[in-house]
Amino acid sequence: MKELVHLSGMLTDEQRNLLSVAYKNVVGQRRSAWRITKSMEDRYQEKEDEKSEELASGYRKEIEKELEAVCKEVLGLISKLLGTVDSTVQPIEAKVFYLKMKGDYLRYLAEIGATEKEEAGKSYEAAWKQADTMPATHPIRLGLALNYSVYYYEIVDDADEACKLAKNAFDDAIEDMDNLKEESYKDSTLIMQLLRDNLTLWTAEQEEETGQQEFEEEF
């Protein structure tokens, strides 16, 4: 797939989705490993177990190097693909897809301190502006709303903005359900459920401190 991008600079919708899924699996494993290792490192630090902390820290740094390399590889491909979106069959959809993907991978870098969090925000914002012309039930637009709201909640630490964005996207989609296309029904309703799940969790955490919990994300 990487070679195809370099050769043609354009992907079909199916190829685009394959690219996203392929890198999602690669990055997902490393993000999960990083979170576990970082948690162990923090725990050893609290216990003043310097030897174990040093081992965990070394492993975390190795994971960060791998994660950063993969993210930068993806961002390079996206940069090339964004330069050809106007030649695709559905340029707006393609542009929103790639800008969202760019925001996602910049967010992953921000999680490990490898880039400024504002960089991810700029990509999400640009994608959201482009998505304004898309149906509220479109899975690409809904997926953008989901990940953009996660960015606000997790990276910016702005629960109010995260809830506002997720709620508006969910409510708009509910109002537009009559126009939901059959071929995207499954994907759209799944993402809407994830938006609602996050809203329920985030609202509960705002009302009472329930401790750290995982929230849903659709890459």
Side-chain angles (χ1 to χ4, degrees):
M1 192 62 68
K2 184 168 60 175
E3 287 75 12
L4 183 60
V5 173
H6 287 303
L7 285 171
S8 68
M10 285 192 293
L11 297 177
T12 64
D13 290 356
E14 183 178 359
Q15 291 169 338
R16 188 177 68 195
N17 290 331
L18 286 173
L19 176 73
S20 177
V21 171
Y23 277 107
K24 170 186 175 181
N25 292 333
V26 173
V27 170
Q29 293 173 357
R30 286 163 175 78
R31 290 178 69 212
S32 178
W34 183 87
R35 287 172 175 170
I36 293 170
T37 307
K38 183 67 169 66
S39 177
M40 291 173 62
E41 183 183 359
D42 292 342
R43 188 159 60 247
Y44 289 137
Q45 186 178 43
E46 290 177 2
K47 293 180 178 180
E48 297 183 352
D49 184 344
E50 294 183 4
K51 186 175 181 180
S52 296
E53 181 189 349
E54 184 178 350
L55 287 171
S57 176
Y59 186 43
R60 172 183 57 77
K61 290 175 182 177
E62 286 300 315
I63 296 171
E64 288 177 354
K65 288 179 183 178
E66 294 179 7
L67 187 54
E68 186 173 354
V70 175
C71 288
K72 288 184 176 180
E73 180 178 297
V74 178
L75 290 168
L77 295 176
I78 294 172
S79 178
K80 189 175 182 64
L81 290 164
L82 279 170
T84 63
V85 290
D86 291 336
S87 301
T88 59
V89 178
Q90 296 178 309
I92 296 298
E93 285 188 16
K95 194 166 189 176
V96 172
F97 185 94
Y98 292 130
L99 283 171
K100 168 195 168 292
M101 197 171 172
K102 181 179 179 181
D104 290 341
Y105 283 85
L106 286 169
R107 172 162 59 89
Y108 305 153
L109 288 175
E111 286 176 348
I112 61 173
T115 189
E116 297 297 326
K117 60 185 179 183
E118 290 80 10
E119 294 303 309
K122 290 176 183 177
S123 292
Y124 282 133
E125 183 180 6
W128 194 241
K129 287 180 179 178
Q130 291 288 329
D132 191 53
T133 59
M134 298 170 67
T137 53
H138 197 293
I140 293 178
R141 177 186 166 116
L142 285 168
L144 169 61
L146 179 63
N147 287 14
Y148 196 5
S149 63
V150 168
Y151 161 78
Y152 271 117
Y153 191 86
E154 184 182 43
I155 305 298
V156 183
D157 196 24
D158 189 340
D160 290 338
E161 191 62 33
C163 289
K164 178 182 176 182
L165 198 160
K167 185 178 187 306
N168 287 342
F170 181 84
D171 290 345
D172 289 345
I174 288 292
E175 291 180 8
D176 199 36
M177 285 295 287
D178 290 340
N179 298 319
L180 179 57
K181 295 182 179 180
E182 185 177 351
E183 61 267 25
S184 62
Y185 181 86
K186 183 178 179 181
D187 289 339
S188 295
T189 53
L190 172 61
I191 303 171
M192 288 173 67
Q193 180 64 52
L194 297 178
L195 282 166
R196 188 170 65 177
D197 289 347
N198 280 353
L199 274 170
T200 301
L201 174 60
W202 294 342
T203 301
E205 287 184 343
Q206 282 184 290
E207 291 176 351
E208 57 178 311
E209 294 187 5
T210 57
Q212 186 176 356
Q213 302 180 50
E214 292 186 2
F215 39 82
E216 303 291 351
E217 176 183 354
E218 189 278 334
F219 294 86

